[in-house]
Amino acid sequence: MAPHFVDFSVVGCKAFTREPQKRCNRSKRHLEFDGLEKPSKRRRSVGCTDAAETPVAKERSIESIIAAVERLSTEPRLVADGSREITLPTISGKHKDLNAITPETMSRVLEGSYDDSVDQLTVIDCRYPYEFEGGHIKGAVNLFTKQAIKDFIHNSVTSSEKNHVLIFHCEFSSERGPKMYRHLRSLDREINIDTYPKLNFPEMYLLEGGYKAFYESERSHCFPQSYKPMLQKEHSADLRHFRVKSKSWAAGDNPRHRTCSSGNATKLCF
């Protein structure tokens, strides 16, 4: 089925999101919460404090959050809000806390192999603009700053009935792509803080190996069909400019919600 693209402007560049045509009687794998009640959103007003919430409601909210954390920690095939299983096959990549996919899986997504489960797709290329212009995945949007990610999440219209999948990458999916993946998830958690584990974008992936690996094996899905590395002598001034603009990736941020084990304790992952 030929992809259907929707125009969408982000931080001064033209972006596209891929939205396949809807099919009749499409079945989705929704999982029950086993009686788990989602915490209701608290009403806030001027002069009103959390003291207005009854002890019973507070206890129920805490129990609900604990149950959600346990569910997400013990069932790795769930999307990040625990509502259903993830759509795409994943691999164990360099960043263990993130869902990684292969270039081959990325290619099958673009070719429509998962259109029965993916309602809308946005590929987020976190490389610098001169890299993006030198060759990128068809339909990708170039977002390389935290502000651009913030604008994207606040300007996107989402629905629990619509599966909008995000796939991040940079040149190697080593630093910039993973960092923006984690930043968007952190913003999403903050937006939905009163309704945990609800998320606007519960299903996200990282393209393992980045654009370089994808271009080497799937270049027919790239436009133009070329690859411009970040480190090039003729773009040294551009590199300095965009590194300053993005506040340098070298320092890095400590990722939150990572999966790690200490004794019998397991922490929540993305």
Side-chain angles (χ1 to χ4, degrees):
M1 179 175 67
H4 173 65
F5 293 96
V6 179
D7 283 349
F8 169 136
S9 294
V10 180
V11 291
C13 67
K14 193 170 187 178
F16 304 92
T17 55
R18 180 176 175 279
E19 187 172 2
Q21 296 177 351
K22 294 185 177 298
R23 297 181 180 179
C24 296
N25 300 322
R26 178 169 60 242
S27 61
K28 289 188 177 181
R29 295 170 294 177
H30 288 275
L31 300 181
E32 297 297 331
F33 271 82
D34 297 329
L36 174 63
E37 294 184 10
K38 293 184 179 180
S40 58
K41 190 170 183 179
R42 295 190 292 253
R43 297 173 61 186
R44 298 181 184 273
S45 60
V46 177
C48 177
T49 66
D50 288 344
E53 189 176 26
T54 67
V56 173
K58 282 187 177 181
E59 183 178 358
R60 182 174 298 175
S61 178
I62 293 172
E63 290 176 352
S64 178
I65 290 173
I66 292 173
V69 170
E70 291 178 349
R71 183 177 175 83
L72 290 169
S73 299
T74 58
E75 299 184 39
R77 289 292 299 175
L78 293 181
V79 295
D81 65 358
S83 61
R84 54 185 168 77
E85 291 183 355
I86 59 176
T87 303
L88 307 181
T90 58
I91 61 172
S92 178
K94 178 181 178 181
H95 298 268
K96 305 302 182 184
D97 58 314
L98 309 181
N99 289 327
I101 62 171
T102 65
E104 293 74 22
T105 297
M106 176 82 256
S107 180
R108 290 197 296 272
V109 172
L110 295 172
E111 291 165 358
S113 297
Y114 297 94
D115 282 359
D116 59 337
S117 301
V118 176
D119 297 302
Q120 187 172 348
L121 170 71
T122 300
V123 179
I124 299 180
D125 188 330
C126 303
R127 296 176 299 156
Y128 300 135
Y130 67 88
E131 299 173 82
F132 182 83
E133 293 167 3
H136 57 267
I137 297 173
K138 292 177 182 178
V141 53
N142 187 206
L143 306 178
F144 66 98
T145 66
K146 289 184 175 182
Q147 184 59 49
I149 292 293
K150 184 177 181 180
D151 292 342
F152 172 80
I153 195 170
H154 284 291
N155 293 332
S156 297
V157 178
T158 60
S159 168
S160 59
E161 299 301 318
K162 190 174 185 179
N163 186 19
H164 188 167
V165 170
L166 306 183
I167 301 178
F168 290 78
H169 76 86
C170 53
E171 184 175 4
F172 306 110
S173 288
S174 178
E175 291 290 337
R176 294 172 288 177
K179 187 172 184 178
M180 289 296 95
Y181 181 130
R182 295 183 181 113
H183 183 58
L184 190 146
R185 177 54 52 75
S186 178
L187 290 176
D188 206 350
R189 289 290 185 203
E190 290 175 7
I191 290 171
N192 295 285
I193 191 169
D194 289 331
T195 53
Y196 183 89
K198 180 184 178 297
L199 289 166
N200 292 356
F201 295 99
E203 188 163 0
M204 307 198 307
Y205 300 91
L206 180 71
L207 175 60
E208 189 71 13
Y211 181 76
K212 182 178 186 296
F214 185 81
Y215 175 75
E216 289 174 349
S217 62
E218 310 290 342
R219 67 182 61 188
S220 64
H221 290 295
C222 300
F223 178 83
Q225 288 189 18
S226 60
Y227 161 49
K228 182 171 290 187
M230 181 183 74
L231 299 177
Q232 286 199 329
K233 187 175 181 180
E234 60 268 32
H235 288 286
S236 57
D238 292 327
L239 176 59
R240 287 194 298 271
H241 169 74
F242 290 119
R243 271 185 166 167
V244 170
K245 189 172 182 179
S246 59
K247 297 183 180 179
S248 177
W249 302 108
D253 287 343
N254 291 324
R256 290 186 277 180
H257 307 298
R258 301 189 68 167
T259 299
C260 62
S261 297
S262 176
N264 296 323
T266 302
K267 293 183 179 179
L268 180 62
C269 68
F270 276 87

